[in-house]
Amino acid sequence: MNSLKSISDEIKSTQHAFLRLSKTKRLVLGSLFASLAALFQSAGGLFPGIGYFISPLATAPILFCSMLSIPLGCISYILTTVLLLILQPSELIIFPFTTGLLGIGTGAAFFIFNNRISIVVSGATLLTVGISILLYGFKFPVLGPTVTHNFSFLTLGFIFLFSNFYNWTWVEISLAIFKRVKAIISS
């Protein structure tokens, strides 16, 4: 329980340091995060093959920006979407419902919850909803041609389990990297 409390305290202290920066510096940092997210998300279309391993990294900039400030995270999310419209329109349907939504949801969960389980499950729930909207609502084959567009609780359960594992990985990675981002912001 002590380690869970220290996570919340460390993030809150970094948020306070971030809010002491001028508005210009905060906007520039948010813009840099959005640019990185757009480049990572575009990698799948620009570099077929290896780019598909790079594109999931688009979650990280939005996640870090949302951990620092939810409004700035939302602005970065929107800016990334606009940049994708220019750079790689084919990725425009994927980002808002998967990687971007996961980044916003998990970053906001760090504000709301104090333990890893709640943070992981809330982000995973948003990712599951986003994938379900793409798969069942828009009939977009986000999981490939092997998963049908017909609604199935079994498929939904597997999506939710995968989303939990995937988001748990992002929470652990973000906490490890967040200490480095904190050092950059504090300087």
Side-chain angles (χ1 to χ4, degrees):
M1 187 70 172
N2 228 358
S3 66
L4 297 178
K5 190 66 172 162
S6 65
I7 290 170
S8 179
D9 291 342
E10 185 169 325
I11 291 172
K12 293 206 184 306
S13 68
T14 307
Q15 291 166 350
H16 291 301
F18 177 74
L19 292 175
R20 285 194 299 263
L21 296 174
S22 68
K23 286 186 179 184
T24 304
K25 287 182 180 180
R26 287 185 275 173
L27 284 174
V28 168
L29 190 60
S31 299
L32 288 173
F33 278 136
S35 299
L36 281 172
L39 288 174
F40 287 147
Q41 188 68 38
S42 298
L46 296 174
F47 308 111
I50 188 105
Y52 294 116
F53 294 105
I54 297 171
S55 65
L57 296 176
T59 300
I62 302 300
L63 174 60
F64 293 135
C65 199
S66 297
M67 286 171 76
L68 295 172
S69 166
I70 293 175
L72 193 60
C74 292
I75 290 170
S76 294
Y77 172 81
I78 292 167
L79 181 57
T80 302
T81 305
V82 172
L83 287 170
L84 284 172
L85 180 65
I86 297 165
L87 293 173
Q88 194 67 269
S90 62
E91 294 290 326
L92 193 57
I93 195 166
I94 300 293
F95 177 78
F97 292 102
T98 58
T99 52
L101 189 61
L102 178 64
I104 288 281
T106 305
F110 276 104
F111 273 91
I112 299 167
F113 302 112
N114 287 328
N115 61 27
R116 282 184 169 101
I117 294 171
S118 299
I119 293 168
V120 169
V121 170
S122 62
T125 302
L126 281 175
L127 181 59
T128 301
V129 167
I131 290 173
S132 297
I133 289 171
L134 287 175
L135 189 62
Y136 301 123
F138 292 128
K139 309 262 187 246
F140 185 79
V142 69
L143 300 175
T146 58
V147 179
T148 66
H149 302 302
N150 301 326
F151 182 78
S152 164
F153 283 110
L154 183 62
T155 303
L156 191 63
F158 282 126
I159 292 170
F160 185 66
L161 285 175
F162 168 76
S163 296
N164 273 291
F165 174 74
Y166 187 70
N167 194 35
W168 171 73
T169 305
W170 271 115
V171 167
E172 295 302 323
I173 290 171
S174 66
L175 288 172
I177 295 175
F178 196 74
K179 293 177 184 178
R180 294 179 189 261
V181 172
K182 180 182 176 183
I184 293 169
I185 291 171
S186 298
S187 61

